[in-house]
Amino acid sequence: MQRRHFLAAGALACSAAAAPKYSYRLRYAPHVTDRDVDYHRQLEVFAEQGFRAFEFNALPKQSDAAITALAKTKERLGLAMGVFVINRGGWKPSALVDRKFHGDFLADVKRAVEIHKIIGNECATATSGLAVDTLSYTQQTTNCIEALKRAGEIVEKTKMVIVLEPLNVRVNHAGYFVVMSDHGAEIIENVNHPNVKLLFDIYHQQISEGNVINHLRKHWARIGYLQAGDVPGRKEPGTGEINYQNVFKAVHELGYQGIIGMEHGWTKPGIAGMVEGFAQYQKADGWT
């Protein structure tokens, strides 16, 4: 272990020993990313802090050997896994909106199934990609539906659910095609496959359309995964304008059993800063 990893891990061990594990009412999932400790230690910290799941967008970039090793750590700690991103190019390529890209997307779905068989993730994120000026809105929507129907057929014998993610275009993802939850839900309804649902990212939808709780209720039957992040800044709850106590209470009352991915940054740097930020999730989870 490198010195900086050793020091960070030591400091976290002391803090974990001092604080009792918090029991969360919902299945929040911290996000694995490049930090000052390795991926395996991140999972250990998540478990030590009372979390029962994690997500890891960039998992497909890891080797099969690395994924297998991470799966062993996951099982040892009794953690579930949420999403990784299916699309090899992230959100920018026009993966679903143009049929000429469907071959690559479906190859990515087949690779996602291979990864799922190793690590047992519950969901995987599909992005629509950028809108194409030469195609109409209706044709692009139809193309999204067709691609996801074929993707559903690929994953239907697994326990993995593909979740289509609307993204905001005002701050983070200029030119992206599926933005509003109504549009995403329309696509999912027309795909009509139990293994294809909607990813409702509270951060993105607050920016794009607001009225978060009502939109959650409206599209509840089609939602397969949630993600969090406050506005502005995309950091932990309590740093912006969203009343996460009320949002999480509404999610709980709707009977949500899935994962809520913590796909955001943190006010303070490093894994120690992240652990300090977990207090905001305890606060948001403490509705009455």
Side-chain angles (χ1 to χ4, degrees), residues 27 66 80 100 121 133 158 163 176 185 223 230 248 270 284:
R27 298 171 70 210
K100 72 182 181 181
N121 57 300
D133 293 339
T158 75
V163 284
Y176 191 76
I223 293 173
D230 218 335
F248 290 155

Side-chain angles (χ1 to χ4, degrees), residues 8-283:
L12 284 166
C14 292
S15 64
K21 182 187 294 187
Y22 183 85
S23 181
Y24 291 94
R25 290 192 256 188
L26 293 170
R27 298 171 70 210
Y28 309 104
H31 195 87
V32 174
T33 188
D34 291 332
R35 292 195 172 98
D36 48 359
V37 298
D38 67 26
Y39 299 147
H40 297 269
R41 180 58 186 144
Q42 289 181 49
L43 297 195
E44 290 172 350
V45 172
F46 301 160
E48 289 165 2
Q49 295 294 317
F51 294 101
R52 295 173 284 155
F54 70 97
E55 59 177 22
F56 189 178
N57 277 351
L59 186 66
K61 296 180 181 179
Q62 307 297 311
S63 67
D64 279 1
I67 295 170
T68 299
L70 202 67
K72 291 179 180 178
T73 300
K74 165 185 171 287
E75 293 303 314
R76 172 172 62 84
L77 297 170
L79 294 173
M81 182 181 172
V83 295
F84 57 78
V85 175
I86 292 172
N87 308 64
R88 70 186 72 182
W91 62 272
K92 289 185 178 181
S94 301
L96 304 182
V97 299
D98 192 329
R99 288 175 180 167
K100 72 182 181 181
F101 296 108
H102 285 186
D104 284 346
F105 173 69
L106 295 173
D108 290 344
V109 173
K110 291 175 182 177
R111 174 57 182 155
V113 169
E114 294 174 356
I115 295 170
H116 168 70
K117 289 178 179 178
I118 297 172
I119 203 163
N121 57 300
E122 296 184 10
C123 297
T125 304
T127 60
S128 71
L130 302 175
V132 176
D133 293 339
T134 56
L135 297 174
S136 70
Y137 177 91
T138 299
Q139 185 60 60
Q140 291 178 85
T141 298
T142 298
N143 290 344
C144 287
I145 293 166
E146 290 179 357
L148 288 171
K149 280 185 175 181
R150 294 174 66 187
E153 293 171 357
I154 292 170
V155 304
E156 65 186 3
K157 294 183 179 180
T158 75
K159 295 181 180 180
M160 183 174 70
V161 174
I162 295 173
V163 284
L164 172 66
E165 183 173 20
L167 301 173
N168 85 79
V169 295
R170 293 177 175 174
V171 178
N172 302 102
H173 302 287
Y176 191 76
F177 181 60
V178 179
V179 176
M180 301 300 182
S181 60
D182 283 357
H183 190 201
E186 174 195 354
I187 291 170
I188 298 307
E189 181 177 8
N190 281 280
V191 172
N192 191 28
H193 195 288
N195 288 71
V196 183
K197 295 187 177 183
L198 186 69
L199 194 169
F200 192 105
D201 187 311
I202 297 161
Y203 165 80
H204 287 300
Q205 297 320 122
Q206 172 68 5
I207 292 171
S208 296
E209 59 194 3
N211 202 19
V212 165
I213 291 175
N214 279 339
H215 281 111
L216 282 167
R217 289 170 176 161
K218 179 179 181 181
H219 302 305
W220 194 246
R222 300 177 185 89
I223 293 173
Y225 197 86
L226 299 175
Q227 286 181 321
D230 218 335
V231 178
R234 201 174 190 177
K235 291 187 168 59
E236 67 268 24
T239 57
E241 66 192 18
I242 301 175
N243 187 327
Y244 265 103
Q245 274 200 354
N246 285 348
V247 173
F248 290 155
K249 180 181 181 181
V251 167
H252 184 263
E253 289 175 345
L254 285 163
Y256 186 59
Q257 300 296 314
I259 289 172
I260 301 176
M262 297 154 66
E263 191 196 30
H264 55 74
W266 298 88
T267 301
K268 295 187 178 180
I271 195 164
M274 179 184 65
V275 170
E276 187 173 335
F278 288 161
Q280 293 296 333
Y281 272 90
Q282 295 176 19
K283 182 177 179 180

